[in-house]
Amino acid sequence: QSAPASGSAPPAASGGTFAVITHASAGDAFWDVVKNGAEAAGKQYGVTVTYQGDGDPGKQSQLIDQAVAQKVDGLVVSMANPDALKEAVGRAVAAKIPVVTINSGAGSSKAFGAITHVGQSEDVAGRGAGEQLRAAGVTKLLCVVHEAGNVGLDQRCKGAEQGLGGTVERLQVDVANLADVTSKVAAKLQSDKQVNGVLALNPAVAVAARDAVKDSGSQAKLATFDLSGDVVTAIKDGEILFAVDQQQYLQGWLPITFLTLYKKNLNTVGGGLPVNTGPGFVTKDNAEQVAKLAEAGTR
Amino acid sequence: MTAAAGRADERVARAGLVRRLLIRPELGAVVGLVAVFAFFAAQSPVFRSPQGVANWLDPAATLGIMAVAIALLMIGGEFDLSAGVLTGTTGLILVTLATRYGLDVWTAMLVGLVVALAIGLANGLIVTRTRLPSFIVTLGTFLMLQGVNLGVTKALTGTVQVSGLRRAAGYEDARALLAGTVEIGGTPFRVAILWWLLVTAVATWVLMRSRPGNWIFAVGGNEQAARAVGVPAARTKIALFMTTAFAAWLVGSILALRYTSVQANIGIGQEFIYIIAAVIGGCLLTGGYGSAIGASVGAVIFGMADKGIVFLGWDADWFKFFLGAMLLLATLANRLVRRYAEEVKH
Amino acid sequence: MTAAAGRADERVARAGLVRRLLIRPELGAVVGLVAVFAFFAAQSPVFRSPQGVANWLDPAATLGIMAVAIALLMIGGEFDLSAGVLTGTTGLILVTLATRYGLDVWTAMLVGLVVALAIGLANGLIVTRTRLPSFIVTLGTFLMLQGVNLGVTKALTGTVQVSGLRRAAGYEDARALLAGTVEIGGTPFRVAILWWLLVTAVATWVLMRSRPGNWIFAVGGNEQAARAVGVPAARTKIALFMTTAFAAWLVGSILALRYTSVQANIGIGQEFIYIIAAVIGGCLLTGGYGSAIGASVGAVIFGMADKGIVFLGWDADWFKFFLGAMLLLATLANRLVRRYAEEVKH
Amino acid sequence: MIIETRGIGKTFGSVLALRDVSMGVAAGEVTCVLGDNGAGKSTLIKILSGVHRHDAGTFLVDGREVSFGSPREALDRGIATVYQDLAMIPLMSVWRNFFLGSEPRRGPAFDVARARRIAREELLAMGIDIRDVDQPVGTLSGGERQSVAIARAVHFGARVLILDEPTSALGVKQAGVVLRYIVRARDRGLGVVFITHNPHHAYPVGDRFLLLNRGTSLGEYGKADITREELTALMAGGAELAELEHELRRE
Amino acid sequence: MIIETRGIGKTFGSVLALRDVSMGVAAGEVTCVLGDNGAGKSTLIKILSGVHRHDAGTFLVDGREVSFGSPREALDRGIATVYQDLAMIPLMSVWRNFFLGSEPRRGPAFDVARARRIAREELLAMGIDIRDVDQPVGTLSGGERQSVAIARAVHFGARVLILDEPTSALGVKQAGVVLRYIVRARDRGLGVVFITHNPHHAYPVGDRFLLLNRGTSLGEYGKADITREELTALMAGGAELAELEHELRRE
Ligand SMILES: Nc1ncnc2c1ncn2[C@@H]1O[C@H](COP(=O)(O)OP(=O)(O)OP(=O)(O)O)[C@@H](O)[C@H]1O
Ligand SMILES: Nc1ncnc2c1ncn2[C@@H]1O[C@H](COP(=O)(O)OP(=O)(O)OP(=O)(O)O)[C@@H](O)[C@H]1O
Ligand SMILES: [Mg+2]
Ligand SMILES: [Mg+2]
């Protein structure tokens, strides 16, 4: 089969096979950078990295079970829903597979037997965004949720609410249909003039929301999570205030590094405390530098 | 015993013009439309302002273009689940070729069109040759295209989104034609709305006043009987799949030009919204019945309900609940009107 | 001229046992099953190991329970798009009541069952009373339930996921019954597999060997003709919607007990996978034809393809591509076998 | 009179399909309904059997006024019908179609073995030698399908048997069998309603003749009041048939 | 001979529907195909009209061997057919059905006004007074539907007209009209294949009689070789009909 496989079945001769299993579906802009980071690290260390993801915690735990059945040498798991993954992770630990948790789930990481946790939960990032927006004078914020019921997105909005200290209204849009995003955000801005800030949780949504702000003639400040070429351009042009950058590349790179070291050398990093990767912010000041990196998919 | 043609028949009760109009498939949907509009317009002044109208007409236009194509296909007795993802494929082709391979926008769009038509042709050929249900075949293409969109985009660009179309040659012209705005009474409306009206008009003419239109109804109503009187059933169906692919290309290009960037997972899930709009507009899922205007009206109903809830500022958590209730009520109104029209006496 | 019953008829060619078997709807699907299994088993030793089998049988089981119920409904000529979200609703009810309102697990499950059956009843009543297509009606319930799942969960718990079922009274017993494992040859298999086999067996018996089974085929094949000979068409359809709701409750409870937490958006999108499995297993989308065993086989095919691709370690970006290709090939194999069976001479 | 209608009528949207028709069906008698195409014969019997609800006039069963909401209600009063266009479920096998709605039971189960056997026997008795009762009805020939419907109605016919053009798709021999069934049913005390375009089929078995034309009744005649020739003439709308025979023979 | 078959046969799965049938259709002649229900008549004409492909024997049109892949190919050689069970699209209006597959054009468009007018005229000429040619075919009576199909085939019939039980659902008058059409088509030099169960319809118009029984041919007779009584006797499988008439009359 001619899959352009960055991680293909036969384990590479040297280091071993590590499985990255996240709670995001394939093609998600944020998690794609994580994937790129993990794969780059795999190439660097000469180990095989496989990446899978599914937003349904049940499916995610099935993927973990599969990795255990395949006797991988290490496991990287994002835990948006720790309760649901408890048993699957437990089975991996019982099978003597070292586990590193990433992104959310820092609280349960140690209890489940993971060797360490990398990254920070979405609400920390959200809080950072909220604080920045408050500094920019936003009092009523629109949080654009592009996948209803997604825990990560909910945590981002919640964090922003804490950081802002003002009102946060949620708006549900369909990320697969950008025209819909534009017109819904515009509808909200037209019908509620109090809203003076918009927080997008995805770069494509940010681009669509930018049009909405323009269309509706609103003065609302726009910020977003994550980067894309267009987002960076918009930041440079002053259309978007800033983008939250969790530096999630590290959430892919570091766990593979740690697992490789653990396997070779039994190193454990952080002594059970989480290793933080962000959040960073991309603003007009540093947009120029990261533009290229965002296009390449590492920021 | 044989009455002269044209003489009134004593066995036909006098049917008022109103009732005769109501019997048409699309005019049932129009009642749903009026009801939904009245509901939102009464409560939100912004909703009925020109700016508000421009706002909810915009997504209705792109949805409408697709709904009309899907309605033709459904009247012809088939489904296309791959149409939503195909809008993404054409957009990705356009942006990738224009930004990474230096093609100008027009050439990139042409390549996208060729690929889209090829995919439509493949869908049609597989369905007519293997006689597998189109639900399954286009589900296969749906999944495969999803994989291709993601896999190829990643392989070529290293990311799951391509952007930067603004800098490509020919961008401004193409944008003005497909993704610009026209001012009407001081309010800018998207040109997509004009394209949508054009597509609806052409589709209606084809359905009602052309030979292929007659064939579409026939292959959807009873394919074997249609074949038996010499209708080129396979060719008709293949043409319908290619029409859908064409519409997907049109919508994909409009959206890519408007947002200048495309994400690899765009369009997923939209295929059902197209079908929903067509069904609200009176198309039968079993084929052989429906109208292009109805599908357009269905698209507007969906667009109004979808945006109206936001205009009213109802709790976002309950959004889907209201949307579902609204759709159910609109279709119910539509149905009640039609039944009334069919059953009223004398 | 009238041949004695039982005497061989000279107009019937000798049909081999193999061919007679192949003509059954489900045995076509079995060929697809064998092909997919052989493909993955040949390349991945883990896939064919007991642990691997337990691994892909597990999702096939929950999918299979739903696919069988949906297959019955589809044979009866209707769709249910709300079934996937309903698994989430029942799970949310179970976990919320057991963790926030102190009910024991059994009572909470009972409440979930009552709600599920009420929703099934509502679906059935609306479809049979209004004569709207079930696609639209259950689409309405689908959206409404999505809203309710999110809105109510947020309102009651403040988050979009509820967890902590492990601490509820009666959890261990309920878990052992619905979400535990049984050891076979040293490998733990999920008990859900047993439930799935039971559901398939019961459904097959009902379809083939009971009066309601006859009615199901009839209302799906030609509702008016069935009504004309006295089949209680409305009651049959309502019962089918309630059966689907029951299955959704069973699966929702199994999953909630297994993962002890439920997310408010769970189950969205699954409704089509159920339909896909049923169609792979030989159900007609137009109703009147299909089998419960076929739907189960379809679920296994889907489960194997879904997990097999992961076992082979193919790039996740291309996952959907392979899944689509696999499904298309499996259905094609199925169809070719059936056509061969029907056309072979003497 | 088991069944009686008085000035019954039915409208579909703007189409007046039936107006002011009065008729009766008595036990032990055959009522023939005759008339041109589109005269309203099928509409009339669909009202009698509960498929349509009449919207004018009165409809009495056993002297009591009724308005059937579904065919089940008619069946429950012993009215069994062979429809012209609502006959069979094409994808279902012959025996399943045969027993649809009245499945024999053994315990909770559908007694499949008995259903198969009876279906085959009843069809054989009609002179239809179905190869295989498991064959889907959709693959039967037009006449075979019609025979299954008739055999079913005869098997389940309780008090009134309604047959809408049962003989039209049948061969001479099979038609003869059906006519014999009608006579036999009549002799068993059933009321029979028989629709046909063939006066050679209608006259020998009919006791009363209801003539419909363009939705209205031209009158109901007893057998005593009318000769075969008169009947034929009335059905053909005058001397047309004789003239035609003559005309065709000339060449 | 326009059409000729030699030892033609067709199998559906394990069902041998037709075996070793030879027949011919000549210009200006009417070939009647007669036989019991399930004898294979419809299967035979579906081969002639391209719906099924034969799997044994040879099939010649104008002396050249053919095997039609679709009805279109048959139509293109001037073979028009009225099918017993593949007649109409129920949800489509009468005029759309009438012109389906052969729509009249005006420029690129379907000439709707003309289609409406011709459909109404042709039906009136058959004695069927359709209220409204915009009515969906599904709401017509059985006989009206059949008339539309016949009117269509007659209107488009080029060299061979095949009619599968066209008169079975028709009233006496309408059946007469159809028989007259057959004669007129024959006189215009068309070859006609006419399937019926009614010897009174078959004998007056037929020139040759092909008798089928249980899928095989019992022989082809010229009109000179057979009397009406012999034909009736052959169709009824012996003296059954006479006996039946007698039996029924007795009571
Ligand atoms: N559902 C319907 N909607 C509209 N018109 C209808 C409907 N059903 C029947 N009609 C019309 O009512 C008239 C009577 O139809 P009916 O079927 O009763 O005739 P019929 O006497 O049985 O004729 P045939 O001998 O041809 O079967 C026909 O002209 C038909 O077009
Ligand atoms: N598609 C099919 N599959 C299986 N069997 C078939 C199929 N079509 C026809 N048959 C069988 O072939 C035989 C001949 O059918 P056919 O329709 O040719 O009969 P016919 O002579 O037209 O009868 P009738 O006078 O009743 O219309 C029948 O027994 C029928 O069951
Ligand atoms: Mg009738
Ligand atoms: Mg026939």
Side-chain angles (χ1 to χ4, degrees):
Chain A
Q1 219 65 33
S2 62
S6 36
S8 53
S14 60
T17 304
F18 300 120
V20 182
I21 296 166
T22 71
H23 67 272
S25 46
D28 183 285
F30 177 92
W31 289 98
D32 187 59
V33 177
V34 175
K35 179 177 186 238
N36 285 346
E39 282 171 354
K43 215 169 276 162
Q44 174 87 20
Y45 304 128
V47 299
T48 307
V49 171
T50 64
Y51 176 94
Q52 302 290 340
D54 202 308
D56 176 347
K59 296 260 172 62
Q60 198 192 348
S61 73
Q62 283 167 8
L63 288 171
I64 296 174
D65 287 344
Q66 278 191 280
V68 173
Q70 288 181 297
K71 304 195 170 51
V72 294
D73 299 297
L75 202 53
V76 181
V77 181
S78 77
M79 296 202 297
N81 190 338
D83 223 34
L85 300 187
K86 184 173 187 218
E87 294 187 1
V89 172
R91 278 190 289 272
V93 171
K96 305 243 174 342
I97 297 174
V99 177
V100 173
T101 56
I102 58 171
N103 195 257
S104 8
S108 314
S109 175
K110 198 167 180 187
F112 287 4
I115 58 170
T116 189
H117 179 87
V118 178
Q120 63 214 134
S121 51
E122 306 278 8
D123 46 352
V124 175
R127 214 173 302 147
E131 282 160 7
Q132 296 263 329
L133 285 167
R134 185 178 55 190
V138 172
T139 51
K140 186 166 185 187
L141 179 68
L142 192 63
C143 191
V144 187
V145 180
H146 58 263
E147 201 189 322
N150 178 314
V151 187
L153 303 184
D154 190 58
Q155 286 169 344
R156 285 178 179 179
C157 287
K158 248 197 215 140
E161 198 162 5
Q162 291 165 0
L164 187 72
T167 332
V168 171
E169 278 216 24
R170 274 155 230 237
L171 179 70
Q172 278 190 32
V173 297
D174 183 353
V175 69
N177 181 357
L178 291 181
D180 171 78
V181 177
T182 299
S183 83
K184 273 204 190 121
V185 174
K188 191 71 196 172
L189 294 173
Q190 282 171 3
S191 58
D192 186 351
K193 301 282 185 202
Q194 312 261 291
V195 174
N196 55 3
V198 177
L199 179 60
L201 306 178
N202 166 297
V205 171
V207 173
R210 176 196 64 190
D211 286 11
V213 174
K214 247 188 262 169
D215 285 359
S216 60
S218 161
Q219 296 302 314
K221 302 258 184 349
L222 176 62
T224 183
F225 274 72
D226 308 333
L227 293 170
S228 74
D230 278 352
V231 165
V232 175
T233 312
I235 291 174
K236 278 190 288 191
D237 296 348
E239 292 169 328
I240 295 179
L241 200 57
F242 64 84
V244 181
D245 178 13
Q246 292 194 64
Q247 311 205 65
Q248 67 271 28
Y249 193 74
L250 294 175
Q251 297 181 9
W253 179 284
L254 292 181
I256 299 299
T257 310
F258 295 170
L259 285 171
T260 313
L261 288 172
Y262 179 84
K263 183 155 185 260
K264 281 198 190 132
N265 213 21
L266 281 179
N267 291 122
T268 53
V269 185
L273 291 177
V275 177
N276 286 342
T277 58
F281 294 91
V282 176
T283 61
K284 223 170 174 162
D285 306 329
N286 59 354
E288 198 68 58
Q289 294 98 297
V290 294
K292 280 259 140 41
L293 303 171
E295 290 267 358
T298 58
R299 280 298 282 267
Chain B
M1 182 155 247
T2 55
R7 174 167 77 60
D9 193 309
E10 89 279 7
R11 297 165 304 173
V12 182
R14 286 159 306 282
L17 177 69
V18 177
R19 254 212 46 252
R20 291 184 69 93
L21 276 180
L22 286 175
I23 272 175
R24 298 211 48 74
E26 56 274 12
L27 275 129
V30 168
V31 173
L33 179 86
V34 171
V36 173
F37 180 81
F39 177 79
F40 287 110
Q43 298 185 58
S44 162
V46 193
F47 184 86
R48 58 176 191 262
S49 71
Q51 219 195 344
V53 173
N55 189 340
W56 51 253
L57 266 187
D58 166 27
T62 44
L63 170 57
I65 293 173
M66 291 309 298
V68 166
I70 291 289
L72 294 194
L73 188 63
M74 280 173 65
I75 295 173
E78 304 290 341
F79 288 96
D80 189 350
L81 302 184
S82 68
V85 183
L86 189 55
T87 64
T89 308
T90 54
L92 286 166
I93 291 174
L94 165 55
V95 180
T96 308
L97 290 184
T99 60
R100 316 266 159 154
Y101 294 88
L103 267 63
D104 69 301
V105 169
W106 297 106
T107 319
M109 276 174 61
L110 192 69
V111 175
L113 177 61
V114 171
V115 172
L117 290 180
I119 290 168
L121 180 69
N123 275 338
L125 281 176
I126 298 175
V127 167
T128 51
R129 288 286 158 82
T130 64
R131 312 227 164 178
L132 287 176
S134 55
F135 185 88
I136 278 294
V137 171
T138 58
L139 181 88
T141 9
F142 163 73
L143 292 169
M144 287 165 70
L145 279 181
Q146 247 179 286
V148 168
N149 281 1
L150 187 56
V152 171
T153 310
K154 275 293 301 248
L156 293 184
T157 71
T159 67
V160 294
Q161 56 197 0
V162 282
S163 48
L165 187 60
R166 209 172 300 241
R167 297 183 297 271
Y171 167 74
E172 287 304 332
D173 293 348
R175 182 186 165 85
L177 184 68
L178 289 174
T181 54
V182 279
E183 296 254 331
I184 300 175
T187 313
F189 284 81
R190 293 274 176 195
V191 280
I193 297 171
L194 297 180
W195 285 103
W196 163 48
L197 295 179
L198 181 69
V199 166
T200 308
V202 171
T204 302
W205 184 84
V206 168
L207 265 185
M208 305 307 293
R209 287 286 179 273
S210 80
R211 304 180 69 192
N214 216 29
W215 300 343
I216 293 171
F217 280 110
V219 295
N222 185 342
E223 181 170 353
Q224 278 185 300
R227 263 175 44 88
V229 295
V231 171
R235 264 195 293 144
T236 305
K237 292 200 162 178
I238 292 172
L240 286 173
F241 279 106
M242 292 179 72
T243 306
T244 310
F246 175 85
W249 165 79
L250 183 59
V251 169
S253 302
I254 289 175
L255 292 178
L257 286 167
R258 187 188 303 175
Y259 296 108
T260 68
S261 69
V262 183
Q263 240 180 316
N265 59 0
I266 216 78
I268 299 172
Q270 297 301 300
E271 58 283 351
F272 286 108
I273 304 202
Y274 308 153
I275 296 177
I276 292 164
V279 175
I280 296 177
C283 284
L284 285 185
L285 285 163
T286 43
Y289 189 80
S291 84
I293 294 180
S296 275
V297 173
V300 178
I301 292 181
F302 188 89
M304 286 202 304
D306 200 36
K307 305 301 166 284
I309 296 169
V310 178
F311 275 114
L312 294 194
W314 288 349
D315 189 341
D317 290 337
W318 289 87
F319 174 79
K320 289 282 173 71
F321 180 83
F322 299 126
L323 186 61
M326 207 71 69
L327 290 183
L328 214 51
L329 292 179
T331 1
L332 209 57
N334 169 345
R335 166 60 54 112
L336 287 179
V337 166
R338 271 193 25 218
R339 210 193 283 178
Y340 164 79
E342 276 161 16
E343 281 190 0
V344 90
K345 314 274 149 48
H346 311 281
Chain C
M1 185 155 244
T2 56
R7 172 165 80 58
D9 192 311
E10 89 278 8
R11 296 166 304 173
V12 183
R14 288 159 304 283
L17 177 70
V18 177
R19 254 213 46 252
R20 291 184 69 91
L21 276 180
L22 286 175
I23 271 175
R24 299 210 47 74
E26 56 273 13
L27 275 128
V30 168
V31 173
L33 179 88
V34 171
V36 173
F37 179 82
F39 176 79
F40 286 111
Q43 297 185 56
S44 161
V46 190
F47 184 86
R48 58 177 192 263
S49 73
Q51 214 191 348
V53 172
N55 226 314
W56 51 255
L57 265 189
D58 167 25
T62 44
L63 170 56
I65 293 173
M66 291 309 298
V68 166
I70 291 288
L72 294 194
L73 188 62
M74 281 173 64
I75 295 172
E78 303 292 341
F79 288 96
D80 189 350
L81 302 184
S82 68
V85 183
L86 189 55
T87 64
T89 309
T90 54
L92 286 167
I93 292 175
L94 165 54
V95 180
T96 309
L97 290 184
T99 58
R100 316 267 158 152
Y101 295 88
L103 267 64
D104 69 300
V105 169
W106 297 106
T107 319
M109 274 174 63
L110 193 68
V111 175
L113 177 60
V114 171
V115 172
L117 290 181
I119 290 169
L121 179 67
N123 275 339
L125 281 177
I126 298 176
V127 167
T128 52
R129 288 285 159 81
T130 65
R131 313 228 162 176
L132 286 175
S134 55
F135 186 87
I136 278 293
V137 170
T138 59
L139 180 87
T141 11
F142 163 74
L143 292 169
M144 287 165 71
L145 280 181
Q146 247 179 286
V148 169
N149 281 1
L150 186 58
V152 172
T153 310
K154 282 287 296 252
L156 292 183
T157 70
T159 66
V160 294
Q161 65 185 19
V162 283
S163 45
L165 187 60
R166 208 160 278 147
R167 298 182 298 273
Y171 168 73
E172 287 304 333
D173 293 348
R175 181 188 164 85
L177 185 67
L178 289 175
T181 54
V182 280
E183 295 253 332
I184 300 173
T187 313
F189 285 81
R190 295 276 180 190
V191 280
I193 297 170
L194 298 180
W195 284 103
W196 163 48
L197 295 177
L198 181 68
V199 166
T200 308
V202 170
T204 302
W205 183 85
V206 168
L207 265 186
M208 305 307 295
R209 287 286 178 272
S210 81
R211 302 181 70 195
N214 216 30
W215 299 344
I216 293 171
F217 280 111
V219 295
N222 185 345
E223 181 171 353
Q224 279 185 299
R227 263 175 44 88
V229 295
V231 171
R235 264 195 291 143
T236 305
K237 292 200 163 178
I238 292 172
L240 285 173
F241 278 105
M242 292 180 72
T243 306
T244 309
F246 175 85
W249 166 79
L250 182 59
V251 169
S253 302
I254 289 176
L255 293 179
L257 287 167
R258 190 186 300 174
Y259 299 114
T260 70
S261 84
V262 182
Q263 221 165 297
N265 65 349
I266 219 73
I268 299 173
Q270 296 299 303
E271 57 283 352
F272 286 108
I273 305 207
Y274 308 152
I275 296 178
I276 292 165
V279 175
I280 296 177
C283 284
L284 284 186
L285 285 163
T286 44
Y289 188 80
S291 84
I293 295 180
S296 276
V297 173
V300 179
I301 291 180
F302 189 89
M304 287 201 305
D306 198 39
K307 296 290 171 269
I309 295 169
V310 176
F311 275 124
L312 294 193
W314 290 346
D315 192 332
D317 289 339
W318 289 88
F319 175 82
K320 290 284 174 68
F321 180 84
F322 298 123
L323 187 61
M326 207 70 69
L327 291 183
L328 212 52
L329 291 178
T331 358
L332 209 58
N334 169 345
R335 165 60 55 112
L336 287 179
V337 166
R338 275 202 12 227
R339 208 191 286 177
Y340 164 80
E342 276 159 17
E343 281 190 0
V344 89
K345 315 271 152 47
H346 310 278
Chain D
M1 289 288 164
I2 308 180
I3 288 181
E4 205 182 333
T5 71
R6 295 193 194 134
I8 217 162
K10 173 76 193 167
T11 317
F12 296 104
S14 60
V15 173
L16 308 174
L18 206 65
R19 270 175 306 164
D20 195 25
V21 172
S22 303
M23 69 168 300
V25 182
E29 276 189 14
V30 177
T31 304
C32 287
V33 182
L34 310 169
D36 262 344
N37 293 124
K41 306 181 295 297
S42 297
T43 306
L44 175 64
I45 68 102
K46 280 184 181 164
I47 292 172
L48 302 186
S49 60
V51 173
H52 295 323
R53 219 187 262 275
H54 58 286
D55 44 28
T58 41
F59 173 19
L60 309 165
V61 174
D62 298 323
R64 247 170 306 149
E65 196 169 339
V66 294
S67 173
F68 293 144
S70 80
R72 183 80 258 168
E73 293 176 29
L75 282 163
D76 289 344
R77 287 173 200 248
I79 303 174
T81 310
V82 176
Y83 299 93
Q84 189 178 13
D85 54 1
L86 285 181
M88 298 273 134
I89 321 281
L91 286 170
M92 283 172 75
S93 66
V94 171
W95 62 271
R96 281 190 179 272
N97 262 294
F98 193 97
F99 283 98
L100 186 57
S102 318
E103 294 82 0
R105 275 195 272 188
R106 202 161 80 187
F110 183 0
D111 190 345
V112 170
R114 203 167 104 217
R116 271 219 183 76
R117 188 170 40 77
I118 296 179
R120 169 171 278 275
E121 284 171 8
E122 289 282 337
L123 285 168
L124 266 180
M126 280 201 60
I128 294 292
D129 179 16
I130 296 273
R131 293 180 181 78
D132 179 4
V133 287
D134 275 314
Q135 207 174 343
V137 160
T139 65
L140 293 183
S141 83
E144 286 169 341
R145 232 173 295 167
Q146 187 67 17
S147 306
V148 176
I150 296 167
R152 171 172 71 189
V154 169
H155 184 76
F156 294 108
R159 298 199 304 146
V160 179
L161 185 61
I162 302 181
L163 302 162
D164 192 356
E165 303 200 19
T167 52
S168 68
L170 296 190
V172 180
K173 196 181 62 178
Q174 285 82 2
V177 174
V178 171
L179 293 180
R180 251 193 225 116
Y181 268 113
I182 292 176
V183 172
R184 223 179 287 156
R186 177 195 71 188
D187 293 346
R188 277 197 347 246
L190 271 71
V192 180
V193 179
F194 177 38
I195 299 183
T196 181
H197 288 297
N198 193 333
H200 304 288
H201 288 170
Y203 196 76
V205 300
D207 295 303
R208 305 151 173 273
F209 302 92
L210 173 70
L211 273 145
L212 295 185
N213 182 28
R214 292 170 75 81
T216 52
S217 170
L218 291 185
E220 203 180 354
Y221 302 85
K223 192 160 194 168
D225 310 335
I226 199 168
T227 66
R228 177 194 290 245
E229 285 63 39
E230 280 168 352
L231 185 73
T232 312
L234 267 171
M235 285 176 71
E240 293 213 21
L241 191 79
E243 188 203 320
L244 175 75
E245 286 243 358
H246 193 66
E247 180 187 324
L248 291 175
R249 204 165 301 162
R250 235 179 344 196
E251 315 175 43
Chain E
M1 289 287 165
I2 308 180
I3 289 181
E4 205 182 335
T5 70
R6 296 192 191 136
I8 218 162
K10 174 76 192 166
T11 317
F12 297 103
S14 60
V15 173
L16 308 174
L18 205 65
R19 270 175 307 164
D20 195 23
V21 171
S22 304
M23 69 168 301
V25 182
E29 276 190 12
V30 177
T31 304
C32 287
V33 182
L34 311 169
D36 262 344
N37 293 125
K41 306 182 293 299
S42 296
T43 306
L44 175 64
I45 69 101
K46 280 185 181 163
I47 292 172
L48 302 186
S49 60
V51 172
H52 295 322
R53 220 188 260 275
H54 59 285
D55 44 27
T58 39
F59 173 20
L60 309 165
V61 175
D62 299 321
R64 247 168 307 150
E65 195 169 341
V66 294
S67 173
F68 292 144
S70 80
R72 182 79 258 171
E73 294 176 29
L75 281 164
D76 289 344
R77 289 175 199 246
I79 303 175
T81 310
V82 176
Y83 300 94
Q84 190 177 14
D85 54 0
L86 284 182
M88 298 274 133
I89 321 281
L91 287 171
M92 283 172 78
S93 65
V94 170
W95 61 272
R96 282 189 178 271
N97 262 294
F98 192 97
F99 283 99
L100 187 56
S102 317
E103 294 83 359
R105 275 195 270 188
R106 201 162 80 187
F110 183 0
D111 190 344
V112 170
R114 203 168 104 214
R116 272 219 182 76
R117 187 170 42 77
I118 296 179
R120 170 170 277 274
E121 284 171 9
E122 290 281 338
L123 286 168
L124 267 181
M126 279 201 63
I128 295 292
D129 179 17
I130 296 271
R131 293 181 182 76
D132 178 4
V133 287
D134 274 314
Q135 207 174 341
V137 160
T139 65
L140 294 183
S141 83
E144 287 169 339
R145 232 172 295 166
Q146 186 68 18
S147 306
V148 176
I150 296 167
R152 172 172 70 191
V154 168
H155 184 76
F156 294 109
R159 299 200 304 148
V160 179
L161 184 59
I162 302 182
L163 302 161
D164 193 357
E165 304 199 19
T167 53
S168 69
L170 296 190
V172 179
K173 197 182 62 178
Q174 284 81 3
V177 174
V178 171
L179 294 181
R180 254 195 222 113
Y181 268 113
I182 292 176
V183 172
R184 224 178 289 156
R186 177 195 70 187
D187 294 345
R188 279 201 342 250
L190 271 70
V192 180
V193 180
F194 176 38
I195 299 183
T196 182
H197 288 298
N198 192 332
H200 303 288
H201 288 170
Y203 196 75
V205 300
D207 295 303
R208 307 151 171 273
F209 301 92
L210 173 70
L211 272 145
L212 294 185
N213 182 27
R214 291 169 76 83
T216 52
S217 170
L218 291 185
E220 202 178 359
Y221 302 85
K223 192 160 193 166
D225 310 334
I226 198 166
T227 67
R228 179 194 290 245
E229 285 63 40
E230 281 168 353
L231 186 72
T232 313
L234 266 172
M235 283 176 73
E240 294 213 21
L241 190 79
E243 188 202 320
L244 175 75
E245 284 242 0
H246 193 66
E247 178 187 325
L248 292 175
R249 204 166 300 162
R250 236 180 341 199
E251 313 175 45

